Amino acid sequence: MMNGEYKLLDRNKCLDDENEFAEKLLILKPEVLKEEFRQPFFQYFYAQSGFGCYPDKLGGKVFGKFLADGENGQFRRSDFLGAADTEQLPQWAQKRLEQLAAPKMRIRVFQIDDSKDADKLKFMSHENVMKSAGVDSNIYHQVYGGVVNCSDLEGVFTLCNTSFPAGYYGHSLSVSDVVEICDGADMGFYYCDPVGFQKIDFDISKADRSDILNVLIVENGKEPYEAEIRDELKAKQSVVGGLIEPVYFTANDNALIYCDEEFLLKDSAPNRKVGSLVIHGTFMVVGNGENEYGEGIEVSLTDEQINKYSEMFRCPLIYMSQEELDEAQTEEPDEGISQA
């Protein structure tokens, strides 16, 4: 990835009194890395679990992932110099750490289709709906599905009323909408009430999901994640943040990338490399197929494609300012590092 010489991290970049490593950014001793990865970028390791995270536990394994490329790994407690002093982190590492440590929820959002709302249930409280026809899954359609940086439904409500997740295409989250928490202890369907949420029975098989595309969204500094967006131009534009531009990157053209065609004009940060091309800003991968008339259409990615392209785009570019480059390097950097 990088052939230039860079200053290796030492104990001066560590905290003096941090003994518990769980959910902490650690710094590996250079000698435990293979020679080709003996660079400061690969010394940063985010610890997630293992008895080695605790000084008083038997066993010394620490499990986690490398900050630079998100690859999973395991080391012994003795392989680390210590916990990183986050006040001394370069900007790329600070942003990557924020993303790793951020809460994550996989959700779907359903909203009432006006054309099917014969009983005028849209925007009605749960109590009044239950006095009327009850929550009818048949009149709902899906407007979004994906991973959001929220820890609870109140966070989801705030997000879906302010910045919106990439690919969200519907009205601001409101009363009568249904949010599905797709995994975890709180898994289930929740009705948005005037105050809070009510857990409900909801038959997702009856909701309209006919225009949903399974895509892969790739944001700066984040691991790629699967999302379910509507097959609508505005939904695709909301992913990239502008006018969509196709990039064909596979040999058989069975998938394509949509990015913002004005990413250079907008000075978007470099995101991933696709061959010799560097794509800036958020982009998505979608299946490329044909309809019955031989016309090109977008189709859902298969599970195999999701796994393949998640691995292909797992490694974000390390984006460094000139000041950070001057501090880190001892020789000219190669193409593996993007300069501001």
Side-chain angles (χ1 to χ4, degrees), residues 90-124:
Q91 189 175 44
W92 74 265
Q94 291 175 352
K95 291 182 177 179
R96 200 75 54 83
L97 179 60
E98 287 174 4
Q99 287 300 330
L100 277 177
K104 296 177 179 64
M105 292 176 64
R106 190 163 65 90
I107 66 167
R108 293 187 179 101
V109 178
F110 301 85
Q111 296 177 341
I112 291 176
D113 184 338
D114 291 335
S115 66
K116 300 178 181 179
D117 189 17
D119 295 316
K120 305 300 180 184
L121 302 177
K122 192 171 186 177
F123 304 132
M124 189 177 290

Side-chain angles (χ1 to χ4, degrees), residues 56-290:
D56 56 346
K57 298 283 188 181
L58 295 176
K61 288 289 183 67
V62 176
F63 299 90
K65 56 180 59 183
F66 288 92
L67 194 65
D69 58 12
E71 183 173 346
N72 294 324
Q74 58 175 297
F75 293 91
R76 301 194 67 81
R77 184 180 178 86
S78 57
D79 291 333
F80 297 97
L81 294 170
D85 181 358
T86 56
E87 297 294 325
Q88 299 188 61
L89 293 180
Q91 189 175 44
W92 74 265
Q94 291 175 352
K95 291 182 177 179
R96 200 75 54 83
L97 179 60
E98 287 174 4
Q99 287 300 330
L100 277 177
K104 296 177 179 64
M105 292 176 64
R106 190 163 65 90
I107 66 167
R108 293 187 179 101
V109 178
F110 301 85
Q111 296 177 341
I112 291 176
D113 184 338
D114 291 335
S115 66
K116 300 178 181 179
D117 189 17
D119 295 316
K120 305 300 180 184
L121 302 177
K122 192 171 186 177
F123 304 132
M124 189 177 290
S125 71
H126 180 259
E127 180 181 3
N128 289 331
V129 164
M130 297 311 292
K131 290 177 181 177
S132 179
V135 179
D136 183 3
S137 308
N138 291 281
I139 67 173
Y140 281 82
H141 67 264
Q142 184 177 342
V143 301
Y144 174 74
V147 178
V148 294
N149 292 139
C150 302
S151 57
D152 54 31
L153 288 169
E154 295 302 327
V156 172
F157 182 85
T158 299
L159 176 67
C160 295
N161 276 275
T162 52
S163 55
F164 298 107
Y168 185 99
Y169 184 49
H171 60 249
S172 299
L173 193 63
S174 187
V175 174
S176 77
D177 294 349
V178 172
V179 179
E180 179 188 5
I181 299 178
C182 299
D183 35 39
D186 296 323
M187 184 169 58
F189 296 90
Y190 296 83
Y191 189 96
C192 184
D193 234 357
V195 179
F197 290 81
Q198 301 292 331
K199 192 168 187 179
I200 60 169
D201 292 324
F202 188 88
D203 189 346
I204 190 174
S205 68
K206 294 180 178 179
D208 184 0
R209 307 177 68 217
S210 59
D211 63 349
I212 290 296
L213 291 173
N214 293 335
V215 304
L216 190 73
I217 295 180
V218 187
E219 299 186 53
N220 289 68
K222 291 187 179 181
E223 295 182 1
Y225 61 90
E226 184 179 358
E228 299 169 353
I229 69 168
R230 295 176 65 185
D231 189 6
E232 297 277 356
L233 177 60
K234 289 185 178 179
K236 298 163 192 172
Q237 290 175 332
S238 79
V239 173
V240 305
L243 302 175
I244 56 174
E245 174 78 13
V247 176
Y248 295 89
F249 69 104
T250 63
N252 55 10
D253 286 340
N254 64 348
L256 58 88
I257 286 171
Y258 277 134
C259 62
D260 182 357
E261 70 171 22
E262 297 180 322
F263 65 68
L264 291 178
L265 293 176
K266 294 177 180 178
D267 199 26
S268 301
N271 188 348
R272 302 298 203 274
K273 290 190 69 176
V274 181
S276 59
L277 175 68
V278 176
I279 296 183
H280 297 229
T282 299
F283 66 89
M284 74 175 186
V285 186
V286 64
N288 186 35
E290 292 183 348

